[in-house]
Amino acid sequence: MTKVVVAITGASGAAIGIRVFERLLARPDTAPQLIVSPSARRTIAHEVGPAALERLLLTGATLHEHDDIGATLASGSYPTAGMIVAPCSMRTLAAIAAGLADNLIVRAADVHLKERRRLVLVAREAPLHLGHLRNMVAVTEMGAIVMPPVPAFYHRPQTVADIVDHLASRAIDLLALPGPREAVAWDGGEA
């Protein structure tokens, strides 16, 4: 089983992280590992519903405690195919950029960078100030992929769920996992 780490932080956009996790759970070859920050628990309850996290856990999903710095995910010897932080708060982005591994999300991200594994940060904030941009440059220079959740419209989404699903699919595709791509590809505009 291919292990993929999914972290959800407290930034708005919790539905994206949940959808990333659900899509990875649906893959027969993938065992997603979940980390949810304390702020994310509040955001999930507000944006997606109070039972959303419980529904994920009922699937048998592996949830790692946010403050468990000794978890398997905190070691480079624990093999994973990559990590997605969705949404990635500016606080988490700044901590990753500075190497401040004071919780499992940042430590796992740090491990992915040092082991040269794929790290996708669905950075959620707008507008951006210079500090945000510098942190994005820093993590990009370290090897991370910054993917702001900018929706595509070429696939003609009909609902917010369609937009969330496409963003989640694009984030997963950035990990370059084996198998078919998740997202609907641009077809050149052929009608």
Side-chain angles (χ1 to χ4, degrees):
M1 278 294 212
T2 302
K3 293 179 181 74
V4 175
V5 181
V6 177
I8 303 175
T9 71
S12 184
I16 300 167
I18 287 174
R19 191 64 185 129
V20 165
F21 195 79
E22 289 170 342
R23 288 191 72 101
L24 288 169
L25 268 177
R27 292 174 65 113
D29 60 340
T30 306
Q33 312 288 303
L34 182 63
I35 313 167
V36 180
S37 76
S39 298
R41 289 176 184 269
R42 181 176 181 176
T43 304
I44 290 168
H46 179 74
E47 293 182 353
V48 186
L53 186 56
E54 293 305 318
R55 280 193 306 273
L56 279 186
L57 299 180
L58 287 174
T59 65
T62 303
L63 175 66
H64 298 270
E65 292 302 319
H66 178 259
D67 60 352
D68 185 6
I69 295 294
T72 53
L73 304 179
S75 173
S77 66
Y78 186 77
T80 70
M83 178 174 181
I84 299 172
V85 183
C88 182
S89 68
M90 289 298 115
R91 185 259 179 240
T92 299
L93 179 73
I96 294 167
L100 302 175
D102 61 345
N103 63 58
L104 187 56
I105 292 174
V106 180
R107 175 61 188 155
D110 192 63
V111 165
H112 281 77
L113 290 173
K114 78 180 186 70
E115 298 293 329
R116 307 299 190 263
R117 297 179 192 157
R118 294 270 174 125
L119 173 63
V120 178
L121 306 175
V122 182
R124 174 63 186 86
E125 189 58 78
L128 301 168
H129 63 62
L130 185 57
H132 298 151
L133 295 169
R134 285 186 174 149
N135 287 331
M136 289 180 187
V137 168
V139 297
T140 301
E141 289 174 340
M142 288 186 241
I145 300 169
V146 177
M147 183 196 135
V150 178
F153 294 97
Y154 60 83
H155 65 288
R156 296 187 178 141
Q158 300 299 303
T159 65
V160 172
D162 290 344
I163 293 170
V164 168
D165 195 55
H166 189 75
L167 290 168
S169 299
R170 286 283 296 128
I172 293 168
D173 285 345
L174 289 172
L175 294 179
L177 299 173
R181 294 180 55 83
E182 295 278 329
V184 174
W186 167 247
D187 65 4
E190 303 296 322

